[in-house]
Amino acid sequence: MVTIAVLLKQVPDTTARITVSDGRVDETAISTWVTSPYDEYALEVAIQHKEASGASITAITLGPPRADKVLKDAAALGVENLVRVWDDAWESLDSNQVQAALSTILEGVEADWIYCGKQSADRNQGSTGPGVAERLGMACIVEISDWDVTGAQPSFTRATSSGNERLAPTPPIVLTFTKTETELRRPNVRGIMAAKKANIEVVSADIGDAQVQVVAHNPPAQKPEGRKFEGAESVPEVVGLLRDEAKVI
Amino acid sequence: MTYEGVDFYDIESELTDEEKMVRDMARDWVEAEVVPNIEQACRDGVFPDEWRVALGEMGVLGMALDGYGCAGMSYVAYGLVCQELERGDSGVRSFASVQGSLAMYPIHDFGSEEQKQKYLPKMASGEWVGCFGLTEPDYGSNPGDMITKAVDEGDDYVLNGAKMWITNGTIADVAIVWAKLDGVIRGFIVEKDDPGFSAPEMTGKHSLRASVTSELVFQDCKIPKDRILPHVEGLKGPFSCLNNARYGICWGAVGAAQSCFHSAKEYALSRIQFGNPIAAFQLVQNKLAWMLREITKGQLLALSLGRKKDAGTWTPEQISLAKMNNVDMALEIARMARDIHGANGILDEYPIMRHMANLESVKTYEGTHDIHNLILGRHITGIQSFTREL
């Protein structure tokens, strides 16, 4: 049987207001946490692949108990196996530790296809997919924007500087996905009822020591206040500023 | 900014994960499909068929019923869905209410096993649409005097009469029709192709424009004997359906009110007069505070009623109070929101006037505001005021 693992990260809602308090992002002020949008595409491909092949899917997330929601959301869409990796002693993990934790779980899952987003919507590092592939000794294709998982040989398309390339990988392999025009499926009530009964396996892992320490988070600099011009007589001034100051014309 | 709804009293913490997931599912769908398209649907006077399909696929039709393709979720979850649907438009919530509470529920609770197996799965999926025929042209608040009647003619029942103000009537595959058989009110399942049955659409509405409203006409309409609902007699049948529908309304009204409040708040913060956002003025803040107050009370009322329903302890009077109060406050909030929007409030760029017009219907259907007052008056005094001889 084909087995698929999909890596899902819980991130603040992409429209959530982020506040920084004492040099750290104040997570308690974030009202809505969601599945990282790129990971949602990975999940969509995984489900399409399952529908075509009868594969089983294991969704894996790394995070505190609140991250269970991304797994329950995945279960509502038809994912059978749910694993959350966490240790209460963990705080801010560096990329090496994240990859170590996920790789440990993936070694046990023995998935043929490992899907994840090309990067998370909060950290934007893009290191997890390639890093996990490296640790597992697998190849990795990143930023996939189209796919065909209906046949015996799935193929994946990614943009290159000279156009698109379509690739036919041999599993096991790690694939990362970017946003596409594909409409993501929504859960339904029956799926949510099934998710209610789904069991989440919580596991820990040996992740070693962090090499990277967060010194401080800083909010982005405030944008300078806009300037308002009125009347036709201000046109030459506006044009001048756009040309000489903003340098956009 | 993603729509988050009003939650001043942290109702979120009182919901189960599943209830939140179902609420979010409905919210996302409304945001993606209803909000961008509702004004056009209202202009065209149609209930888009793709919404029927989507509601069926989401599994919200009859979602609080057990078995036969229904999910068996809590009534609180169902209420939260009604809230989100009506934030989009009362017509969308009406479709789901009528299908689940008025058409599927009586089959589920009063129907035969064969009837349940035949109708419920297809209605849960949205493949078949249901409607509910109780109100007649001359009998609205006092359905007990209905004149639609059924006659036993051996192998069939023959129905004669007319029903009016029937949501989904023209598009319905199945109508639950209440008629008198030997002077006793009974429920009958009429199918769209039954001889002698027609369901012309009522036109010219200024309210619930994205909802199909119809007459049901029975002219020697012949239906097989196995289409009677075997397990209920009298007004208890339709009234128990209406209780469930009224419950959905009490949540739905909160959704419509939230839509108006959200729009009014956004408008007040962005509209500059006298050099300041109008939200800075005390009179506007007073209105916004009143809206928040009433929405919060309405939410708590709806949640409390839902928990009672799930526990099997609610009373008809509690349902009356919640339906009446929440629609009343929603209508007042719509009017207040229109005021805050100034002249802009009459444009369909904003949801205000649409909700206001819709809520005028919602105030009247499923038991008028005044009838619910009289139900409470009877509860308080022990005196029934609406059937006395003059």
Side-chain angles (χ1 to χ4, degrees):
Chain A
M1 184 198 234
V2 177
T3 57
I4 300 169
V6 58
L7 308 181
L8 304 173
K9 184 177 182 184
Q10 189 183 46
V11 298
D13 186 289
T14 50
T15 62
R17 185 184 175 88
I18 305 296
T19 55
V20 175
S21 175
D22 295 332
R24 287 287 185 280
V25 168
D26 181 5
E27 293 195 351
T28 62
I30 296 167
S31 59
T32 310
W33 293 83
V34 298
T35 303
S36 185
Y38 297 115
D39 294 348
E40 289 187 301
Y41 289 89
L43 178 59
E44 174 64 32
V45 182
I47 295 168
Q48 288 183 17
H49 199 161
K50 173 187 171 177
E51 288 171 343
S53 65
S56 73
I57 304 177
T58 299
I60 303 167
T61 193
L62 188 161
R66 64 168 156 72
D68 282 349
K69 183 173 187 315
V70 302
L71 298 177
K72 287 282 186 177
D73 288 346
L77 294 173
V79 172
E80 310 93 328
N81 308 309
L82 311 174
V83 181
R84 179 165 61 83
V85 198
W86 190 244
D87 189 308
D88 287 340
W90 294 353
E91 288 184 13
S92 179
L93 308 189
D94 68 16
S95 59
N96 211 22
Q97 292 175 303
V98 169
Q99 292 154 22
L102 293 172
S103 300
T104 302
I105 308 310
L106 286 165
E107 280 168 358
V109 172
E110 296 185 345
D112 302 300
W113 304 89
I114 299 170
Y115 295 154
C116 64
K118 68 166 184 170
Q119 65 193 64
S120 63
D122 55 353
R123 301 292 296 277
N124 293 324
Q125 288 219 108
S127 58
T128 298
V132 164
E134 180 71 18
R135 282 175 172 268
L136 297 175
M138 298 177 187
C140 181
I141 306 171
V142 299
E143 300 208 32
I144 293 165
S145 55
D146 196 11
W147 56 86
D148 179 357
V149 289
T150 56
Q153 174 58 68
S155 65
F156 301 89
T157 302
R158 62 188 297 276
T160 68
S161 55
S162 56
N164 290 334
E165 63 178 358
R166 188 159 162 260
L167 304 162
T170 301
I173 191 166
V174 178
L175 307 168
T176 82
F177 294 83
T178 189
K179 268 189 175 181
T180 73
E181 296 297 311
T182 300
E183 191 171 340
L184 300 173
R185 71 191 66 206
R186 298 188 177 89
N188 61 28
V189 171
R190 281 175 285 281
I192 291 169
M193 286 297 275
K196 181 180 179 180
K197 299 175 191 136
N199 180 48
I200 295 175
E201 186 185 355
V202 181
V203 296
S204 186
D206 182 4
I207 59 170
D209 296 326
Q211 287 178 263
V212 181
Q213 310 298 329
V214 176
V215 178
H217 291 135
N218 292 304
Q222 292 276 343
K223 284 185 182 170
E225 202 167 314
R227 291 168 64 182
K228 192 173 176 183
F229 302 91
E230 288 185 4
E233 65 276 11
S234 61
V235 169
E237 186 191 359
V238 173
V239 171
L241 287 169
L242 288 173
R243 185 182 57 230
D244 302 330
E245 197 170 293
K247 296 185 176 17
V248 293
I249 58 174
Chain B
M1 185 79 186
T2 304
Y3 177 80
E4 287 188 358
V6 177
D7 191 12
F8 192 62
Y9 262 48
D10 192 22
I11 281 176
E12 196 79 1
S13 66
E14 298 184 39
L15 304 177
T16 67
D17 287 345
E18 296 72 46
E19 287 164 350
K20 286 185 272 195
M21 287 170 79
V22 170
R23 189 267 321 274
D24 292 345
M25 171 198 76
R27 178 174 291 176
D28 290 347
W29 178 73
V30 166
E31 197 68 19
E33 305 296 335
V34 178
V35 171
N37 299 307
I38 184 61
E39 298 298 347
Q40 190 62 49
C42 282
R43 275 185 222 129
D44 297 342
V46 298
F47 178 80
D49 193 53
E50 54 268 29
W51 293 356
R52 168 188 65 81
V53 174
L55 290 166
E57 285 176 350
M58 284 191 286
V60 303
L61 303 173
M63 60 182 272
L65 303 175
D66 270 318
Y68 308 98
C70 306
M73 287 207 89
S74 72
Y75 269 85
V76 169
Y78 168 63
L80 290 162
V81 167
C82 287
Q83 171 186 274
E84 297 308 317
L85 297 182
E86 195 146 356
R87 182 175 76 84
D89 191 78
S90 301
V92 185
R93 199 267 310 139
S94 294
F95 179 92
S97 279
V98 168
Q99 181 85 348
S101 295
L102 297 182
M104 294 173 69
Y105 166 77
I107 296 173
H108 185 274
D109 271 38
F110 309 132
S112 66
E113 183 59 30
E114 292 73 23
Q115 289 169 343
K116 294 178 196 181
Q117 289 184 8
K118 177 179 180 183
Y119 295 106
L120 292 179
K122 283 190 164 66
M123 295 174 81
S125 69
E127 183 182 344
W128 283 358
V129 174
C131 69
F132 174 89
L134 177 66
T135 298
E136 299 186 353
D138 294 323
Y139 296 95
S141 294
N142 62 334
D145 284 347
M146 70 172 64
I147 55 177
T148 300
K149 67 174 183 179
V151 175
D152 185 341
E153 290 200 354
D155 293 337
D156 305 296
Y157 291 114
V158 176
L159 274 62
N160 276 286
K163 301 289 181 180
M164 203 169 182
W165 305 112
I166 309 304
T167 299
N168 296 351
T170 308
I171 59 172
D173 301 279
V174 180
I176 303 300
V177 178
W178 302 93
K180 283 183 176 168
L181 176 66
D182 298 326
V184 178
I185 293 173
R186 300 296 302 265
F188 299 88
I189 303 172
V190 177
E191 296 184 4
K192 66 177 178 182
D193 294 326
D194 284 334
F197 174 55
S198 59
E201 185 166 2
M202 298 171 67
T203 57
K205 290 182 299 175
H206 283 296
S207 172
L208 290 178
R209 289 192 49 75
S211 175
V212 175
T213 310
S214 316
E215 295 177 62
L216 304 182
V217 181
F218 309 94
Q219 288 182 314
D220 295 324
C221 172
K222 191 180 285 189
I223 61 171
K225 273 288 187 55
D226 61 5
R227 300 264 205 84
I228 193 168
L229 295 175
H231 302 307
V232 72
E233 289 185 4
L235 279 172
K236 174 178 176 290
F239 280 1
S240 58
C241 302
L242 289 172
N243 280 341
N244 286 336
R246 290 165 181 169
Y247 166 70
I249 290 171
C250 92
W251 275 103
V254 173
Q258 289 192 41
S259 173
C260 295
F261 173 69
H262 184 72
S263 185
K265 183 185 80 172
E266 296 292 311
Y267 186 86
L269 286 166
S270 62
R271 172 72 173 172
I272 309 293
Q273 290 291 283
F274 304 105
N276 287 302
I278 62 171
F281 299 128
Q282 292 181 3
L283 288 173
V284 173
Q285 288 194 2
N286 186 42
K287 291 185 178 81
L288 293 171
W290 190 87
M291 292 179 180
L292 176 63
R293 188 184 87 187
E294 292 305 315
I295 289 170
T296 300
K297 285 153 63 180
Q299 284 176 312
L300 294 171
L301 202 53
L303 180 63
S304 172
L305 186 63
R307 293 287 182 234
K308 283 179 171 48
K309 169 63 178 170
D310 283 323
T313 60
W314 74 358
T315 68
E317 291 81 9
Q318 290 168 338
I319 302 163
S320 285
L321 189 147
K323 189 269 183 185
M324 175 180 64
N325 178 82
N326 285 9
V327 178
D328 202 30
M329 71 87 183
L331 185 53
E332 195 54 36
I333 283 173
R335 290 169 178 159
M336 209 172 261
R338 209 291 307 152
D339 188 38
I340 289 175
H341 283 75
N344 283 302
I346 69 166
L347 298 175
D348 66 5
E349 185 181 340
Y350 301 95
I352 311 300
M353 285 291 278
R354 179 169 49 77
H355 281 306
M356 191 195 299
N358 285 342
L359 288 163
E360 291 288 354
S361 294
V362 180
K363 185 176 181 179
T364 290
Y365 73 20
E366 318 289 357
T368 70
H369 182 85
D370 286 347
I371 285 291
H372 288 301
N373 263 321
L374 297 182
I375 289 169
L376 291 178
R378 179 180 60 189
H379 174 74
I380 296 163
T381 65
I383 303 168
Q384 179 152 292
S385 67
F386 45 87
T387 56
R388 73 174 159 225
E389 298 290 331
L390 293 177

